[in-house]
């Protein structure tokens, strides 16, 4: 797994790690224009109390994709149809709907969302002749699954059920996430204020 990933992907993971460090779900999003310039970043703030103007926090709808889209001023950005949104996790039905409504033309997600896939949101909501959807990205989904595994184990009473599904996607990543949970690896990296690059390096050390 190469750390030299595309810049929007790296920034999305950086947002996800920031969410983890703040106690929210580690999911991030980045929006780029047709020249690959970063125009917006967002992250999950579901479990955060601090409110920032133009963002949602402390609410179940405070997802990374939503918070990125909220930064897109349609009067400032005139050609949103040519934009791409990068997400570390496949969108839920709410985020898919927000992307559709905002008129972003391309979606690139890293790790798959089993629930979204089973509900077939991608095909039910989008005209594939108008919206390009890419994912999951098997080169980097490992990172997202490790982060989420640790987070779910710390914060959910339904962890076993959730992890069972992720094991079908990438059992090795789940096992590393469980190991990190048990030895507090990610908590230690958070305490030391390490960047997402350091996190990825630690994950790389565990890959067989």
């Amino acid at each position: 797994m190469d750390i030299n990933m595309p810049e929007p992907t790296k920034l999305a993971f950086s947002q996800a790690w920031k969410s983890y460090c703040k106690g929210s779900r580690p999911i991030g999003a980045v929006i780029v224009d047709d020249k690959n310039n970063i125009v917006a970043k967002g992250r999950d703030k579901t479990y955060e109390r601090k409110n920032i103007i133009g963002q949602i926090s402390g609410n179940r709808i405070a997802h990374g994709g939503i918070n990125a889209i909220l930064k897109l001023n349609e009067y400032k950005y005139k050609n949103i149809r040519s934009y791409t949104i990068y997400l570390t996790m496949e969108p839920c039905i709410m985020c898919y709907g927000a992307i559709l409504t905002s008129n972003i033309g391309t979606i690139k997600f890293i790790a798959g969302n089993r629930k979204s896939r089973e509900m077939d949101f991608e095909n039910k909501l989008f005209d594939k002749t108008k919206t390009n959807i890419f994912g999951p990205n098997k080169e980097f989904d490992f990172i997202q699954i490790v982060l989420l595994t640790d987070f779910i184990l710390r914060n959910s009473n339904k962890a076993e059920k959730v992890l069972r599904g992720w094991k079908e996607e990438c059992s090795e990543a789940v096992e590393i996430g469980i190991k990190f949970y048990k030895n507090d690896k990610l908590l230690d990296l958070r305490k030391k204020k390490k960047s997402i690059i350091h996190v990825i390096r630690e994950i790389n050390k565990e890959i067989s």
Side-chain angles (χ1 to χ4, degrees):
M1 185 168 52
D2 190 356
I3 294 179
N4 294 319
M5 61 182 65
E7 190 63 20
T9 302
K10 187 185 299 181
L11 286 173
F13 274 124
S14 181
Q15 290 291 300
W17 174 237
K18 187 174 182 179
S19 287
Y20 179 94
C21 293
K22 294 288 186 178
S24 286
R25 287 176 299 206
I27 299 174
V30 168
I31 300 172
V32 302
D33 64 16
D34 56 341
K35 295 180 175 59
N36 215 39
N37 297 309
I38 307 295
V39 297
K41 296 182 289 186
R43 62 179 185 82
D44 189 280
K45 296 184 177 182
T46 304
Y47 302 111
E48 297 172 45
R49 295 184 179 183
K50 184 178 180 179
N51 291 315
I52 298 175
I53 295 175
Q55 296 281 278
I56 303 172
S57 60
N59 191 290
R60 292 185 181 184
I61 68 170
H63 291 194
I66 297 294
N67 276 326
I69 290 169
L70 285 172
K71 293 180 179 179
L72 274 187
N73 186 318
E74 293 187 14
Y75 297 100
K76 178 179 179 181
Y77 302 108
K78 301 296 185 181
N79 193 24
I80 293 177
R81 189 67 193 163
S82 68
Y83 288 10
T84 299
I85 184 167
Y86 290 78
L87 306 106
T88 59
M89 192 80 181
E90 182 177 2
C92 64
I93 179 65
M94 177 182 68
C95 290
Y96 263 136
I99 294 167
L100 177 65
T101 303
S102 67
N103 204 34
I104 294 172
T106 302
I107 302 168
K108 294 186 178 182
F109 62 88
I110 305 301
N113 182 330
R114 189 178 184 184
K115 184 179 292 186
S116 293
R117 185 168 64 249
E118 289 175 349
M119 296 297 290
D120 198 25
F121 295 147
E122 179 180 325
N123 290 310
K124 289 178 179 178
L125 292 173
F126 292 91
D127 180 346
K128 293 299 184 64
T129 65
K130 297 180 180 179
T131 304
N132 303 305
I133 303 176
F134 302 94
N137 184 327
K138 290 299 181 181
E139 186 176 4
F140 304 123
D141 67 342
F142 206 95
I143 304 166
Q144 181 63 33
I145 294 173
V146 170
L147 292 176
L148 274 172
T149 296
D150 179 284
F151 180 83
I152 289 294
L153 286 168
R154 296 184 189 283
N155 296 280
S156 176
N157 57 10
K158 298 180 180 179
E160 185 177 344
K161 180 180 179 181
V162 175
L163 297 184
R164 193 181 306 125
W166 288 346
K167 282 183 178 180
E168 295 178 8
E169 302 285 338
C170 187
S171 60
E172 187 178 12
V174 172
E175 291 304 320
I176 293 173
I178 293 172
K179 180 178 179 179
F180 281 10
Y181 163 70
K182 290 180 177 179
N183 64 18
D184 289 336
K185 171 63 73 175
L186 294 181
L187 292 185
D188 183 56
L189 292 172
R190 181 181 71 178
K191 183 178 180 180
K192 294 177 179 177
K193 298 183 178 180
K194 297 296 185 180
S195 71
I196 187 61
I197 298 302
H198 287 88
V199 175
I200 295 172
R201 285 172 180 162
E202 291 299 322
I203 294 173
N204 274 336
K205 292 177 183 178
E206 301 293 332
I207 298 175
S208 60

